[in-house]
């Protein structure tokens, strides 16, 4: 395999995020052929991946654990795709496959675009339904309502959707995807443009959050989930590994307090596995970290310190309530927690 293929390709060719090749939707009316149905689908995620972590958080906040089972892959995927090596025998106990790529092949042999998470798989057929990470969580909020827990928050309020969409688009371009464009840049100018965009947007977000607890309205929305999954990884991997090092998250008082506030909110921090995050980035991206050495830091204890954001008011779950304890078997191991 050449240096421009597989995991060694990172940092060797310009980064461009692929659009989701499979964009079917699971809906209440089943208009794409995939109706919402308890127990029918399996959500495949990596706790290392920020895009997949959005779905993990949404599923927990909405209380969909009993309706939508979840498979957690090994954070170290190889060039054959995400692996189920954390499970007995190296196979997912529900789907019976060793690699997520098998579900992709069952849907469309030789499909372009690679194998990504999050992925929703149809359990009866073993076929991939969708890998559309941008749409998946919105549908969990708007199409799966019949299966939400009592007290589930409205993460995408109808009257705020235009503003939420605008904020999410800016966060995606400059922050969520911007750190990747900086980290996988192949030239100085390409890197500098991406890195400057990351911090320019972070500074604007810091100003926005200085006087308000959440990004849009006075409750947690999808916009907060999407920003959080990048911020929680910032000092652990993006600051060093991706060279986004103008300053650390812990050096911006507003964003650091905002991140801690969300981390300490049920459904956020209890889904974060720093061990998976660090091992994935530093050991998989051999094109930019050929030694595969995983740093010992940063110190994670600060994530549990007081943030003081309650003074800004806000109602985290709106008219709803926080989720209950983490489902048995889905707890983050001690190695991944502060």
């Amino acid at each position: 395999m050449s240096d421009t293929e597989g995991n060694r390709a990172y940092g060797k060719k310009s980064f461009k995020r692929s659009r989701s090749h499979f964009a079917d939707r699971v809906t209440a009316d089943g208009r794409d052929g995939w109706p919402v149905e308890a127990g029918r689908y399996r959500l495949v995620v990596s706790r290392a991946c920020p895009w997949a972590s959005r779905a993990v958080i949404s599923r927990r906040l909405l209380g969909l654990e009993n309706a939508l089972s979840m498979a957690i892959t090994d954070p170290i995927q190889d060039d054959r795709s995400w692996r189920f090596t954390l499970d007995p025998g190296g196979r997912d106990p529900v789907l019976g496959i060793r690699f997520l790529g098998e579900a992709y092949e069952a849907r469309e042999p030789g499909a372009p675009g690679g194998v990504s998470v999050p992925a929703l798989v149809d359990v009866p057929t073993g076929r991939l339904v969708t890998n559309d990470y941008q749409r998946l969580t919105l549908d969990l909020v708007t199409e799966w309502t019949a299966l939400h827990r009592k007290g589930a928050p409205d993460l995408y309020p109808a009257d705020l959707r235009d503003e939420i969409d605008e904020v999410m688009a800016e966060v995606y371009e400059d922050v969520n995807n911007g750190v990747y464009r900086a980290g996988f840049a192949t030239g100085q100018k390409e890197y500098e443009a991406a890195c400057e965009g990351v911090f320019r947007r972070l500074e604007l977000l810091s100003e926005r959050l200085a006087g308000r607890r959440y990004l849009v309205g006075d409750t947690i929305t999808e916009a907060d989930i999407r920003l959080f999954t990048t911020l929680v990884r910032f000092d652990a991997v993006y600051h060093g590994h991706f060279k986004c090092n103008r300053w650390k998250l812990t050096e911006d008082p507003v964003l650091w307090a905002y991140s801690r506030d969300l981390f300490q909110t049920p459904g956020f921090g209890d889904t974060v596995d720093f061990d998976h995050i660090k091992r994935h980035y530093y050991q998989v991206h051999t094109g930019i970290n050929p030694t595969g050495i995983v740093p010992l830091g940063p110190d994670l204890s600060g994530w549990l310190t007081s943030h003081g954001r309650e003074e800004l008011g806000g109602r985290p779950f709106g008219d709803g309530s926080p989720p209950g304890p983490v489902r048995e078997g889905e707890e983050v191991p001690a190695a991944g927690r502060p």
Side-chain angles (χ1 to χ4, degrees):
M1 183 173 291
S2 74
D3 283 346
T4 56
E5 298 179 274
N7 295 332
R8 286 177 290 181
Y10 296 115
K12 301 292 194 307
K13 59 183 181 180
S14 295
F15 175 76
K16 184 177 181 181
R17 186 167 300 282
S18 301
R19 295 185 63 181
S20 299
H21 180 67
F22 299 100
D24 287 2
R25 295 174 60 188
V26 176
T27 58
D29 63 5
R31 56 186 176 273
D32 281 2
W34 306 103
V36 170
E37 184 180 330
R40 176 170 176 177
Y41 307 99
R42 189 151 172 84
L43 176 65
V44 181
V45 303
S46 164
R47 290 197 190 274
C49 172
W51 319 99
S53 292
R54 298 175 177 181
V56 179
I57 293 170
S58 294
R59 171 180 175 268
R60 175 142 160 66
L61 292 178
L62 299 172
L64 288 170
E65 291 96 333
N66 291 329
L68 178 61
S69 68
M70 183 170 72
I72 301 171
T73 67
D74 192 311
I76 313 300
Q77 92 262 45
D78 63 24
D79 290 325
R80 292 171 293 182
S81 83
W82 296 96
R83 312 176 296 170
F84 295 105
T85 46
L86 301 181
D87 295 302
R91 291 184 182 275
D92 178 78
V94 174
L95 300 174
I97 57 178
R98 296 175 59 224
F99 298 93
L100 176 56
E102 294 175 55
Y104 277 66
E105 281 293 303
R107 170 68 186 271
E108 182 181 328
V115 177
S116 63
V117 287
L120 210 59
V121 179
D122 181 47
V123 173
T125 63
R127 297 168 58 205
L128 178 78
V129 175
T130 182
N131 66 344
D132 189 350
Y133 62 94
Q134 296 283 51
R135 187 70 231 179
L136 175 58
T137 50
L138 296 179
D139 282 344
L140 291 181
V141 175
T142 59
E143 298 289 338
W144 290 64
T145 53
L147 298 176
H148 288 180
R149 66 176 174 88
K150 183 179 180 180
D154 186 354
L155 301 172
Y156 196 46
D159 60 330
L160 295 176
R161 286 180 188 176
D162 287 346
E163 186 178 359
I164 292 172
D165 289 345
E166 181 180 359
V167 171
M168 290 194 305
E170 295 169 345
V171 168
Y172 170 81
E173 179 63 28
D174 295 334
V175 181
N176 300 149
N177 206 41
V179 293
Y180 281 85
R181 288 187 286 107
F184 295 148
T186 58
Q188 188 67 31
K189 290 184 178 179
E190 179 186 358
Y191 156 73
E192 288 182 3
C195 190
E196 287 170 359
V198 168
F199 285 95
R200 182 171 57 249
R201 181 61 57 190
L202 288 179
E203 288 163 358
L204 290 171
L205 289 166
S206 182
E207 293 175 7
R208 181 184 184 95
L209 289 163
R212 58 193 304 167
R213 193 170 178 185
Y214 304 111
L215 284 171
V216 182
D218 67 347
T219 65
I220 292 168
T221 68
E222 176 79 10
D224 296 294
I225 296 173
R226 296 190 181 197
L227 178 56
F228 173 79
T229 56
T230 295
L231 294 183
V232 79
R233 289 162 172 76
F234 204 87
D235 288 3
V237 289
Y238 300 145
H239 180 272
H241 185 56
F242 278 179
K243 305 180 185 69
C244 293
N245 62 356
R246 281 186 52 196
W247 38 264
K248 297 178 181 177
L249 175 66
T250 54
E251 294 170 350
D252 184 289
V254 173
L255 291 181
W256 177 221
Y258 167 78
S259 300
R260 299 199 316 278
D261 185 6
L262 290 177
F263 187 88
Q264 294 169 31
T265 299
F268 284 81
D270 53 30
T271 69
V272 175
D273 190 326
F274 285 105
D275 174 58
H276 278 206
I277 289 168
K278 288 170 58 177
R279 287 196 290 123
H280 168 74
Y281 282 89
Y282 284 104
Q283 293 185 327
V284 170
H285 301 159
T286 54
I288 55 178
N289 186 41
T291 64
I293 292 173
V294 181
L296 291 175
D299 179 7
L300 301 177
S301 61
W303 283 101
L304 303 179
T305 60
S306 176
H307 52 76
R309 296 278 293 179
E310 304 96 333
E311 298 177 1
L312 295 173
R315 303 175 301 143
F317 302 100
D319 295 329
S321 58
V326 175
R327 184 184 179 91
E328 185 178 355
E330 294 185 358
E331 305 92 342
V332 174
R337 303 195 304 264

